[in-house]
Amino acid sequence: MANVLIIEDDEVFSELLVMHLEDRNHVPHTASTLKQARQLLAESIPDAILLDQQLPDGFGTDILKEIADHSPHPPVIMITGVSDNTLAIQAMGLGAHDFIRKPMDELGLDTTLSNALKSHRLSRQVSAITNTQDYQVDIGQIVGRSPSILEICKTIGSVASRNAPVLITGKSGTGKEVVARALHNHSGRTGLFLPINCSALAENLLESELFGHEKGSFTGAIVRKEGKFEQTADGTLFLDELGEMSASLQAKLLRVIQDGSFERVGGTQTMRSNARILAATNRDLKIMVGAGHFREDLFYRLNVVHIHLPSLRERMEDLPLLTEYLLSKINALQHTAVKHIAETAWRRMKEYQWPGNIRELENILTRAAVLARSDTITADLLALPDSIETKGFETNKIIDGIPPQLLSLDELENEHIKKILEYTHWHKGKACEILGISRPALDRKITKYEL
Ligand SMILES: Nc1ncnc2c1ncn2[C@@H]1O[C@H](COP(=O)(O)OP(=O)(O)OP(=O)(O)O)[C@@H](O)[C@H]1O
Ligand SMILES: [Mg+2]
């Protein structure tokens, strides 16, 4: 049994909550304005609070901040009809315990509430930790209403102001950089957000990009150069495609993460960095650790907080919202005026596998919008390639005259790799990802089959 304060101006919804809580043997109290809530809170502190965002005399987040400023304070669960993810991030950052979107299911509420009560009891037994960071919120939008995206936004809100590294994983085009920027924008850090692509540079250049170099340290080093760690100061360094980093650089990175120290290439003076490190990869680092291609200690250091972005295929319920959002973005950038997607086109989009995820969605919509002659995108404008899955072997005879089931494994492999390379236009990185093999393995097979 717990005392639960409901701060909600919608009488019907508030009454529903009251009945539901009474059913569960809790004692509900209600306030329909912030003023009333403040009065009740001055009289007695409940065990948990259910809080709406839009109230007649202000926002739920206003009182959330006041509540969270006290330590210890009861867990606050925001229940709101506002579909803006920025609010979820902001609320979690202000110290909300959880965030539920209306319409909500009763079971979800029960679980959330009992978890909140339990963790509140535990936190009182240990020491109360409150997150009272106040952010100015304005970020590159994270669009999506799927549970996985909401979870990600909540995590961003909870960890943005911390110093621990964050590992962001997900297939290509799923929004890893978007999440990295959101983490920086909500961190309260004054320094820069600097992204660096670890796969785009040769090892020695990457080292000098990251750590800087002294004059004369190698041919071409005519002047001393500051690396990203210095430039970022106390900002955020985003190491993109980290899986491609060489062993010796992994060791240097581990050292900066452990104690913030590093040297410029060719330098003897030990430098210090306060940069927050965010790392992204579309590789499976755990498998790479197993295969000896990635340092285990570095993996554990980076993996303290892990955000995994689902593929678009795994959150197709977000397709309508993403499409709407991207169309307005494209219209603004390309000066187009596309408003509709034709029914046939939409059906095609729903069936398609989207191997390139949101980036592919954006590219395909951009091309269609630019080519469109009316305000509607039709199926022919989408020009969606056949998904690999639909290019079945049954329908494609592989070698003339011989049914596929009579091919040897090598022949099948040869044909399959060829197909994937054609599909990715010989983008070996993407081909490796689809095939689930490493780059050297792919190169060996290309040589073997003389592709
Ligand atoms: N949730 C989202 N809401 C809105 N736009 C998104 C979202 N996720 C990704 N995008 C858009 O999709 C594109 C790809 O995102 P991003 O560059 O962050 O992907 P990535 O995971 O870093 O991909 P890669 O591994 O290929 O570098 C960007 O234009 C980004 O703005
Ligand atoms: Mg990226």
Side-chain angles (χ1 to χ4, degrees), residues 141-143 171-178 240 315 322 325 329 358-359 362:
Q141 277 230 54
I142 300 184
V143 178
K171 293 262 158 56
S172 164
T174 46
K176 296 186 290 296
E177 183 152 355
V178 174
D240 204 357
R315 54 177 186 111
L322 279 166
Y325 165 76
K329 180 173 162 187
I358 301 164
R359 173 166 305 116
E362 189 168 356

Side-chain angles (χ1 to χ4, degrees), residues 141-262:
Q141 277 230 54
I142 300 184
V143 178
R145 241 174 241 165
S146 54
S148 52
I149 290 299
L150 180 59
E151 269 323 300
I152 287 170
C153 290
K154 287 183 349 192
T155 308
I156 294 174
S158 313
V159 305
S161 63
R162 309 270 178 263
N163 293 324
V166 179
L167 179 64
I168 308 166
T169 58
K171 293 262 158 56
S172 164
T174 46
K176 296 186 290 296
E177 183 152 355
V178 174
V179 165
R181 286 183 189 274
L183 280 165
H184 175 72
N185 292 343
H186 287 275
S187 67
R189 285 177 177 261
T190 50
L192 300 170
F193 174 86
L194 290 183
I196 180 162
N197 186 329
C198 302
S199 75
L201 297 170
E203 177 179 353
N204 52 353
L205 281 181
L206 179 60
E207 178 172 5
S208 122
E209 273 299 306
L210 285 174
F211 303 111
H213 62 241
E214 295 295 341
K215 181 178 170 183
S217 54
F218 54 85
T219 331
I222 337 173
V223 287
R224 186 167 98 183
K225 182 179 167 249
E226 279 191 354
K228 299 270 187 202
F229 272 103
E230 277 170 81
Q231 292 166 8
T232 317
D234 70 340
T236 304
L237 192 57
F238 175 47
L239 304 172
D240 204 357
E241 308 209 23
L242 174 90
E244 318 299 318
M245 196 178 255
S246 72
S248 86
L249 276 185
Q250 287 178 28
K252 292 188 172 133
L253 178 61
L254 179 65
R255 181 166 160 233
V256 198
I257 293 177
Q258 276 172 337
D259 61 8
S261 68
F262 66 94

Side-chain angles (χ1 to χ4, degrees), residues 90-121:
Q90 191 190 16
M92 296 308 285
L94 287 173
H97 182 86
D98 215 326
F99 190 93
I100 300 179
R101 205 163 263 156
K102 287 180 197 168
M104 43 142 219
D105 64 294
E106 299 187 340
L107 194 65
L109 176 63
D110 286 345
T111 320
T112 308
L113 183 60
S114 74
N115 285 345
L117 290 168
K118 194 161 82 192
S119 78
H120 182 52
R121 268 195 301 275

Side-chain angles (χ1 to χ4, degrees), residues 18 46 54 98 107 113 135 164 186 197 208 234 241 250 265 273 280 341 343 348 370 386-388 446-447 451:
V18 166
Q54 268 151 352
D98 215 326
L107 194 65
L113 183 60
Y135 315 113
H186 287 275
N197 186 329
S208 122
D234 70 340
E241 308 209 23
Q250 287 178 28
V265 177
S273 164
I341 307 259
E343 184 54 40
R348 192 79 184 78
V370 169
D386 276 339
S387 286
I388 300 185
I446 289 175
T447 317
L451 291 173

